[in-house]
Amino acid sequence: MTAETTVYRAERVWTLDAERPRAEALAVRDGRVLAVGTLAEARAAAGPEAREVDLGRATVVPGLVDAHAHIHGLGKSLTTVRLEKAPSVEDVLQRLAKAPASSFQGDWLLGKGWDQNEWPGAAFPGRNDLDAPFPTTPVFLMRVDHHAAWVNGEALRRAGITRDTVDPPGGRILKDANGEPTGVLVDNAMDVVEAAIPAPTREQLETRLRAALERCAQVGLTGVHDAGMDLQAFRTLQAWDAAGTLPLRVYAMAAGQGEQRHAYLEQGPWQGRHLSMRSVKFLADGALGSRGAALHDDYSDEPGQRGLLLLSPEELEARAQAFMARGFQVCIHAIGDRANTLVVDVLLRGAERTGTQALRHRVEHAQILRLEDIRRLGAAGLVASVQPTHATSDMPWAQTRLGPERLKGAYAWRTLKDAGAHLALGSDFPIENPDVLAGLYAARTRQDAKGWPEGGWYPEERLRAAEALEGFTVGPAWASFEEARRGRLKPGLDADFVALSEDPMEGPASALVDARVLATVVAGAEVFRADG
C-alpha cells in the first residue's frame, strides 16, 4: 500500500453524487478519490497501511471553486493600502499616511477599495483631498469595483491629463464646473494614468500571487477561475505549475481587453497540471457603483447618463469571434442591461458563425438583464457566472441607481437558472471578500451578515442550499469543462474537498456567517489546515 493512501472520516460527507449523496468517509490515493461510503468501506478500499485522518464533527464537501475572481488583484489588495469600509475621505487619508512600503510601485502610492456610497453625501472624492498630504508623490487609488480610480494632481501631471484632455472611448475623466479634472477616472480613462505607473517588480508580483493563493486556501477554495489574467502573472504561474508548487487549481481567462491578447491568440489554449488557459475575458461595460454599467435608459439618479461601453460593439464582436475560431471559450463582463443585450447577441451570433456552441461561452456577472434577454441566455444554455455577494453589497443603493422596474431582472439567479442558464458562482474578489462561505450564505438568504432585510432582498431569487453548494462546485466544473473530473466526490474523480465547521446543506443558513474552514485539500494534498 502506498503512502499516498489516506482515509478521511467526518460527521458527514456530502458528495453531490446522486447515486450516493451522503457518506461518512472517503479514501484518497494518488490525488484521486478511491472510495466514498462508510468508514468500513473506505478502510477496506484503502488497505491496512493507509493513513487515517479524523476530522471530527466536520462536514466535508467537494472542492469549492470561485468562478470569477482576480488572483493578482487580491494579492495587490492584501499588500497595498486597504480602503475597504473606509467611512469617510478623512479615514482614507489616515490609512494612506500609514502606508506600508509594499504599497509603493516605483514611487507611486497604491491603494484599493474606497466606495463613496459608504460616505456622508455619497459624492465622488477629488484630487484636492490628496494633493495636500501628497504634493509630489503620485497616488492611484482603485475604487472597490475596479471601474474607477481616484488620483492626485501629480498622477494627472505624469499621465499628461489636463483640462483639455478629452474622454477616451469607453471612459470618463470627471471634471468640475471650471473644466478641471477632479481626480476621478472611470473605466477606460484609468488606463491613461495606469500606463504611467511602473510595472511591478518580479519580487512584488510573486509576493502578491503567493499571498493571494494562501488566502484562497484559507477560505476553502480549491480552485479559482481568474477573470482576465495578465501575461506576466500567467507566466509566473506556469513556472510554478511546472515545478509542482502551484497549490490550487487555476482556470485562467486570457486578458482580452488590451494588447496582450495578441500573444494569447498566438499561443492558443493551454493546459498544465493545476493551471489551464482555454478561455478569454472581455469587458463590455463598467460597473453600477461608478455609473459605468451600460443601460438602455438613463440612470435613475443621473438623468442623461447611461454608462459606458468599453469596446465598440463591432470591436467586441470581432475579438470574440477571433478567439472562438482559435478554440477559446469566450467570457464577457456585462453588468448593465444594454451590455447584457449586446453580449448575448455577440455570443450567440459568434458561436453560430464559428460553430463553437460546444465551447460553453459565458456571461460574466449577468447582473442586470431585461427579462427577454434572460430567456435568450437560458434557452442557449450559456453560462451565467454570477456573484451572490454583489447583490448583498449593492442592495442598499441599487434601486437608487436603477429604479424598481429594472430590478426585476437584476441579480436574478433563480430566474436565470429556471430559464436554463448554467450557474457558476463566485465572488469577484478582491472587489468582494474571497470568503466562499459568505457567498453560500448570500446565495441562500439575499441578506447581509446581520440578517437584513428580513426575509431577504427580492427573496424569490434565492437559491436552495443544494443549489448554492452546486453553484460553487458542480457549476464551475461544468463552466471549465471539468465535470468529468471535479465538482463531486466519487471514485475516480480528483480528490479536491473542503472540511467545514458547519453543514451548508442541512444546517441553518445563518450558521454560515460564523462558520470556519477546517481543511482544504487539493489533489489529495492538504493546502490548509486550521489550528486547533
Side-chain angles (χ1 to χ4, degrees), residues 31 38 87 101 184 248 260 296 328 380 434 510:
T38 65
V184 172
L248 308 182
Q260 290 185 349
H296 283 290
F328 282 85
S510 58

Side-chain angles (χ1 to χ4, degrees), residues 59-71:
T59 296
V60 170
V61 298
L64 299 169
V65 176
D66 193 310
H68 183 110
H70 306 275
I71 296 172

Side-chain angles (χ1 to χ4, degrees), residues 454-479:
E454 185 176 354
W457 187 59
Y458 290 83
E460 65 275 10
E461 295 294 346
R462 291 178 300 191
L463 299 178
R464 292 183 284 273
E467 293 170 332
L469 184 58
E470 289 171 352
F472 284 103
T473 53
V474 177
W478 196 90

